[in-house]
Amino acid sequence: MFDLQSVISDTGVRLCLDCGKCTVVCPVTRYDAEFNPRRIVQEVLRLNGRSPVSDTIWSCISCNMCMERCNYNVKFTDFIRFLRYKALEEGAEIKYSHGGAPQTIMHIMAHRETRQDRLNWLPEDIKIAKQSDTAFFVGCAPYFDVLFSDLGVSTIEGTRGALRLLNHAQIPFTLIPNERCCGRDLLLTGDIDGFLTLARANIHEFGKRGIKNIITSCPECYYTLKIDYPKFLEDWDITVVHITEIIAQVIETGELTLGKLEQKVTYHDPCTLGRYSRIFDQPRSILASMEGIEVAEISDNREKSLCCGASPWAHCGTVNAQIQKERLAQAGATGADILITACPKCQIHLKCAQKNAESNDVCQIEIQDICDLAARSLLPQEVS
Amino acid sequence: MATPYIEILVFACNWDGWSCIEATANLGVGYPASVKVVRVSCLSRIHAGLILKAFEFGADGVMLLGCESGRCLFGVNGEYIINEHEKARSILKILGMRQDRLVLVQLPAFSGQEFVMQVKNFIVEIERLSASRRAKITDPEPAQDIAVLSQQ
Ligand code: SF4
Ligand code: SF4
């Protein structure tokens, strides 16, 4: 599908040889001296496809911090993705986290014959349009909450919150009962065939229902559907919006007014929503519109936001845990009661670090989804 | 119509679980050839990821065969596997594959007859599930469609 020489020229990585600036901002390099974006490029150019590159290619967490720093517009994360694709082709084995369960779920979901039963979390109060060309794309939250039940995560609360906000704003939407995973984690680990099978299954579902617009609350799904699907698939003409874009807009026009909650919060920009998708202001304006909510900005915010230490469910280790610990400490330092995020995966990764902390120096701040918080402000308030 | 070939993977713990498999040979009671047994040191070495992997690779059913509560050689007493079993069952349900394709069987040591009976019943149950799944696949829409849910 790709060849090394054209990937080298398309991504522009030759420029890295005389540079290395991003090494300073890369959170992985900070905790793992073995990992260095420029050195990876050097090694690849030296070997020139003759033998496989080192295992360090699996350590990149795709946080896109390097792209923020790079003066030459080098597409380093695309380059890493290609190296992984090639490594898989050459028989490399991925060190899957969580026993490989997420990948297995994605592969089973990809089957044409899969008929999921994935809407059991839907409460009665949420109203779904009988027919609409706008679909809400749920993402993998129903699976996450089972798989990571030991961590006490409830990412579906964020989804429920998002749907309640849409109901309040009177924006009609439908749901896709047999929606598949967007495939982002397969794409990031170089499993492009797996990714494409999922994408095609989704397109089939959308087509069958005449879907023209998609709203989603998961930044990973958002970016993948909006940016990657059109890159990989012809005839993709569905508009994709993130829930925070819509909600911020209806708040601005006065079509939705959020309620009151007395809480001091800090906001964590998920990499895929912030650096990748440039959605920095909308979540902040949602928070600002809520009476009683005090927002304390975290030290590394917006473009400089520190990643939650995520991995595409592979090669997760002590480096990831250290990044998570650092991010949690930054959140704790704001004095906020709650760390608000807009991504289910950030929630899982940060809670994992909290739960598996071996010492008591990991900040145990409460973590909550932005839509969950916003929807809760609309509940009838208890009168004290 | 020929009965479909139902592939069953059994994860048997090295102790009471495996003793049941050995007992079938000693007693001369056979079980269908489509039942493959994988011997593991303890069921606590099996997690949801591995169980689901068996399904990804085409197993029709998975049986976790281990010691009865209180008999675990490592003192784990099934706590870990009970949790993983529950998780994997919930995932199978969401995937629409039916949770009864996975069972946890805890038997006294050397229960050869009992194992054969259970595995045969399991195959019958899976044949039934597979038939209803095939019917569902030819059905253009999933059973749980949004039209039946609350409407705006
Ligand atoms: S990605 Fe950009 S900043 Fe990093 S080494 Fe290459 S050229 Fe320099
Ligand atoms: S994407 Fe993040 S982890 Fe990967 S090289 Fe760039 S800065 Fe480092």
Side-chain angles (χ1 to χ4, degrees), chain A residues 17 38-49 51-57:
Chain A
L17 294 179
R38 182 182 54 157
R39 245 195 278 142
I40 291 179
V41 175
Q42 245 172 1
E43 194 195 352
V44 174
L45 293 178
R46 182 171 51 82
L47 296 172
N48 198 20
S51 51
V53 286
S54 76
D55 252 7
T56 54
I57 55 165

Side-chain angles (χ1 to χ4, degrees), chain B residues 81-150:
Chain B
I81 193 64
I82 288 170
N83 190 25
E84 292 300 299
H85 165 250
E86 270 315 310
K87 260 198 232 173
R89 275 172 63 91
S90 307
I91 300 270
L92 287 174
K93 181 170 190 311
I94 311 177
L95 281 169
M97 296 172 70
R98 312 295 288 270
Q99 45 188 1
D100 293 338
R101 283 177 190 273
L102 173 65
V103 287
L104 173 61
V105 176
Q106 292 169 299
L107 290 179
F110 306 106
S111 314
Q113 296 275 17
E114 179 65 19
F115 164 70
V116 172
M117 200 186 85
Q118 295 231 13
V119 89
K120 284 186 173 164
N121 288 343
F122 188 40
I123 293 176
V124 172
E125 172 65 10
I126 288 177
E127 273 169 1
R128 197 181 62 78
L129 291 179
S130 301
S132 80
R133 181 174 153 82
R134 276 193 300 277
K136 203 171 166 190
I137 288 167
T138 44
D139 175 13
E141 288 301 321
Q144 185 196 20
D145 204 356
I146 39 163
V148 302
L149 299 169
S150 35

Side-chain angles (χ1 to χ4, degrees), chain A residues 1-2 58 62 77-78 80-85 88 103 106-107 181-196 198-199 220 223-225 227-229 231-232 312:
Chain A
M1 193 182 292
F2 307 103
W58 299 101
S62 316
T77 39
D78 285 359
I80 282 281
R81 195 199 282 172
F82 163 76
L83 294 179
R84 290 175 176 177
Y85 170 76
L88 283 186
Q103 286 80 4
M106 290 183 247
H107 287 141
C181 167
C182 68
R184 178 153 196 81
D185 292 313
L186 294 185
L187 182 63
L188 290 181
T189 41
D191 181 356
I192 296 185
D193 296 337
F195 163 75
L196 286 175
L198 285 169
E220 305 266 283
Y223 187 82
T224 310
L225 295 177
I227 308 293
D228 290 317
Y229 276 23
K231 260 193 224 160
F232 284 88

Side-chain angles (χ1 to χ4, degrees), chain A residues 68-339:
Chain A
E68 205 64 50
R69 181 67 192 84
C70 184
N71 295 341
Y72 305 114
N73 208 8
V74 164
K75 299 188 184 75
F76 188 74
T77 39
D78 285 359
F79 184 61
I80 282 281
R81 195 199 282 172
F82 163 76
L83 294 179
R84 290 175 176 177
Y85 170 76
K86 200 158 167 297
L88 283 186
E89 229 182 22
E90 285 162 4
E93 295 230 353
I94 304 182
K95 288 197 201 102
Y96 292 119
S97 315
H98 313 286
Q103 286 80 4
T104 293
I105 293 173
M106 290 183 247
H107 287 141
I108 296 179
M109 243 193 265
H111 286 174
R112 193 195 275 270
E113 271 133 51
T114 294
R115 296 285 184 280
Q116 297 165 90
D117 183 6
R118 51 177 298 149
L119 292 175
N120 283 335
W121 49 270
L122 197 65
E124 295 233 319
D125 67 291
I126 292 176
K127 303 287 175 250
I128 313 294
K130 191 168 185 191
Q131 250 182 355
S132 170
D133 60 3
T134 301
F136 186 91
F137 193 84
V138 173
C140 291
Y143 290 100
F144 289 157
D145 289 357
V146 175
L147 218 45
F148 302 107
S149 51
D150 306 358
L151 302 176
V153 294
S154 184
T155 55
I156 205 72
E157 277 311 321
T159 316
R160 290 194 187 113
L163 301 188
R164 290 192 175 113
L165 292 174
L166 289 173
N167 276 177
H168 271 275
Q170 312 225 334
I171 300 168
F173 62 88
T174 180
L175 293 172
I176 314 239
N178 203 16
E179 168 199 311
R180 310 302 211 285
C181 167
C182 68
R184 178 153 196 81
D185 292 313
L186 294 185
L187 182 63
L188 290 181
T189 41
D191 181 356
I192 296 185
D193 296 337
F195 163 75
L196 286 175
T197 325
L198 285 169
R200 291 202 189 99
N202 271 328
I203 288 178
H204 176 73
E205 295 291 333
F206 302 151
K208 215 163 66 180
R209 298 187 147 70
I211 300 301
K212 300 257 166 8
N213 312 291
I214 286 174
I215 310 172
T216 179
S217 60
C218 175
E220 305 266 283
C221 301
Y222 170 74
Y223 187 82
T224 310
L225 295 177
K226 189 177 167 117
I227 308 293
D228 290 317
Y229 276 23
K231 260 193 224 160
F232 284 88
L233 303 146
E234 292 160 11
D235 309 329
W236 170 264
D237 62 348
I238 297 182
T239 51
V240 184
V241 287
H242 191 256
I243 184 80
T244 56
E245 294 179 285
I246 297 203
I247 299 304
Q249 196 189 350
V250 289
I251 289 174
E252 175 144 5
T253 56
E255 287 159 86
L256 177 70
T257 312
L258 295 180
K260 184 176 165 185
L261 279 178
E262 296 291 344
Q263 224 118 39
K264 184 171 174 184
V265 304
T266 187
Y267 176 68
H268 163 78
D269 292 275
C271 304
T272 325
L273 195 64
R275 270 189 296 277
Y276 278 87
S277 309
R278 315 314 286 181
I279 297 184
F280 297 112
D281 295 325
Q282 294 87 333
R284 287 179 170 79
S285 62
I286 294 173
L287 291 173
S289 83
M290 293 162 69
E291 207 189 324
I293 290 283
E294 182 193 339
V295 185
E297 277 291 352
I298 197 163
S299 52
D300 288 344
N301 58 39
R302 303 179 71 99
E303 292 87 347
K304 292 203 182 74
S305 168
L306 177 61
C307 176
C308 69
S311 72
W313 316 119
H315 284 254
C316 187
T318 47
V319 172
N320 304 69
Q322 277 164 307
I323 298 170
Q324 284 149 4
K325 186 173 152 189
E326 185 181 343
R327 188 55 167 170
L328 287 164
Q330 291 181 352
T334 61
D337 316 314
I338 311 177
L339 171 64

